Amino acid sequence: MRTVEWDNERDRVLLIDQRLLPGEVMVRSYDSYQDVALAITDMVVRGAPAIGATAAFGLALAALRSSAQTVQALREELKRAADALMSSRPTAVNLKWALNRMLRIAEECNGDVDVDLLREAILAEAQQIADEDVEINQRMARYGVKFIEDGDTLIHHCNTGALAAVDWGTALGVIRMAHKMGKRFHVLVDETRPRLQGARLTAWELSQYGISYDVISDNSAGYFLQTGIVQKVFFGADRVAANGDVANKIGTYMLSIAAVDNLVPVYCVVPTSTIDLKLTGGDQIPIEERPQEEVLELKFYDRKTTPPGATARNPAFDITPHRLITAFITENGVVYPPFERNLANAVKDLRE
Ligand code: MRU
């Protein structure tokens, strides 16, 4: 199944519970937008495109479960539901992008229309967002595949695969396409502390696709770059500012510095829905700080790694300045510097 799906028979949202992977593949079902918002916050589902599509289906649930009798009343309820979904995670702009697209359907609907027709249109839009996501991912993969050559060793950070999107994936989608085309290469998988999206999710996906990989501790990336073992670095993003500054999983900044210091190119693979032209620079992107337990409750030899009373800081993302990015791979093509002009053009291509 897809990472995020609509259950047509029972009108509910289905999510693969990513917290349990790779040990257990469990699908959970959601009947209310409030529960969908909680699932996003708790990271049952994660990854920028996946949470965008999940929020869209969450809003469809709000429309279907609402008892509103008029278009105006339904619009008001949808706005309240969208606010709740919007605040479920702050950094990935895809969430806002998907919800705004859904709300536009309600806003543009004629007030005299049968309210059930609006409900149907809302659900159809969510399904459209999900279907488009898969198609966009595959388009990005076709643009990005030329950057992977036979014999390459790549470093990949976090999880950007089918699990981070509706299906297929962004940066991992490029890697998957290269493998499908018969290219031979090796992936070093950053384990991605503290939630281990690399070790748990990316390694799981790569083993399913039959792609050669080793998991590495995040702090060994510099070693592999400095010793000439790595030819390219690939990751995705949760939000890209107009100047090309990238908010992505914590550790992306350190990885990019080490790559650039060793003249290794850095590719950021993003759908244009991740580009936020309203923000001029990365310093304006909200960075989520997650509960300290995520850092403190890791275990070693089945025992907690930290002494009683230890405290922790847990920023979930960092900002990689645009000067460290070699190119963005989007569904509208590869974007090189100057990013301010070229990213705006890539986004415009889509909107026209
Ligand atoms: O905290 P997460 O797991 O939601 O963070 C995900 C990432 O940082 C991904 O790299 C990003 O969303 C791009 S995925 C297509």
Side-chain angles (χ1 to χ4, degrees):
M1 73 169 271
R2 288 177 169 183
T3 300
V4 186
E5 266 186 14
W6 182 258
D7 178 349
N8 277 315
E9 275 168 27
R10 300 180 63 178
D11 278 341
R12 56 188 190 167
V13 179
L14 301 178
L15 298 174
I16 295 176
D17 189 339
Q18 301 192 31
R19 300 167 305 180
L20 307 180
L21 289 170
E24 189 181 348
V25 183
M26 181 191 278
V27 177
R28 291 188 192 274
S29 55
Y30 295 88
D31 284 304
S32 73
Y33 76 84
Q34 291 94 337
D35 287 345
V36 169
L38 270 178
I40 296 173
T41 303
D42 290 348
M43 294 179 70
V44 170
V45 61
R46 33 67 51 200
I51 61 181
T54 304
F57 281 130
L59 207 63
L61 267 181
L64 263 62
R65 300 287 187 267
S66 143
S67 54
Q69 300 293 318
T70 65
V71 165
Q72 186 52 33
L74 186 56
R75 272 192 203 128
E76 295 305 320
E77 280 193 37
L78 290 178
K79 275 192 210 138
R80 279 196 296 278
D83 285 346
L85 287 158
M86 201 91 84
S87 59
S88 57
R89 285 196 81 189
T91 303
V93 75
N94 305 59
L95 194 62
K96 196 166 152 198
W97 171 87
L99 288 168
N100 284 341
R101 191 168 146 176
M102 297 285 291
L103 287 176
R104 225 173 292 135
I105 299 291
E107 275 151 25
E108 287 169 5
C109 170
N110 184 328
D112 300 332
V113 141
D114 178 350
V115 70
D116 283 337
L117 287 179
L118 175 56
R119 287 188 173 90
E120 275 173 35
I122 295 270
L123 175 58
E125 187 69 2
Q127 194 60 61
Q128 175 85 5
I129 287 174
D131 292 344
E132 275 175 21
D133 188 67
V134 184
E135 194 258 322
I136 283 170
N137 279 203
Q138 292 183 344
R139 251 159 64 202
M140 293 194 294
R142 284 191 283 274
Y143 281 119
V145 84
K146 67 178 178 197
F147 296 112
I148 299 179
E149 292 158 291
D150 275 335
D152 274 353
T153 292
L154 322 168
I155 291 187
H156 175 274
H157 194 64
C158 195
N159 172 267
T160 65
L163 290 166
V166 174
D167 201 350
W168 197 262
T170 60
L172 209 64
V174 172
I175 291 170
R176 193 173 163 186
M177 184 71 84
H179 175 72
K180 205 172 163 212
M181 287 170 63
K183 298 196 184 196
R184 290 164 172 272
F185 56 90
H186 186 71
V187 184
L188 295 178
V189 176
D190 270 353
E191 60 176 355
T192 316
R193 292 210 174 197
R195 291 190 65 101
L196 303 169
Q197 289 94 328
R200 294 189 305 108
L201 309 176
T202 299
W204 185 70
E205 285 198 43
L206 289 176
S207 50
Q208 299 212 335
Y209 309 144
I211 298 175
S212 149
Y213 73 89
D214 288 304
V215 176
I216 59 170
S217 59
D218 297 334
N219 45 8
S220 64
Y223 165 82
F224 288 108
L225 286 156
Q226 198 177 45
T227 47
I229 289 168
V230 174
Q231 283 73 46
K232 280 125 205 179
V233 166
F234 277 87
F235 49 75
D238 280 71
R239 201 184 296 219
V240 177
N243 68 347
D245 290 351
V246 170
N248 190 47
K249 181 50 56 197
I250 195 77
T252 304
Y253 174 44
M254 285 197 323
L255 172 64
S256 304
I257 290 176
V260 170
D261 192 45
N262 291 286
L263 307 178
V264 170
V266 174
Y267 297 107
C268 180
V269 187
V270 282
T272 52
S273 53
T274 301
I275 302 169
D276 189 349
L277 294 179
K278 290 204 184 77
L279 305 186
T280 53
D283 55 342
Q284 296 152 38
I285 300 177
I287 298 292
E288 176 184 16
E289 183 141 356
R290 293 193 56 87
Q292 52 178 337
E293 288 71 29
E294 291 184 349
V295 175
L296 297 173
E297 287 182 1
L298 282 177
K299 291 206 168 146
F300 192 66
Y301 289 104
D302 218 22
R303 287 172 173 79
K304 266 181 73 173
T305 52
T306 46
T311 54
R313 294 288 308 270
N314 186 18
F317 301 95
D318 59 23
I319 303 294
T320 300
H322 59 275
R323 67 189 152 81
L324 302 177
I325 307 288
T326 308
F328 290 92
I329 298 164
T330 76
E331 76 275 26
N332 291 332
V334 179
V335 179
Y336 294 99
F339 291 133
E340 201 158 323
R341 185 191 68 198
N342 296 344
L343 281 174
N345 284 340
V347 173
K348 208 162 110 231
D349 275 0
L350 183 77
R351 306 267 149 91
E352 277 171 359

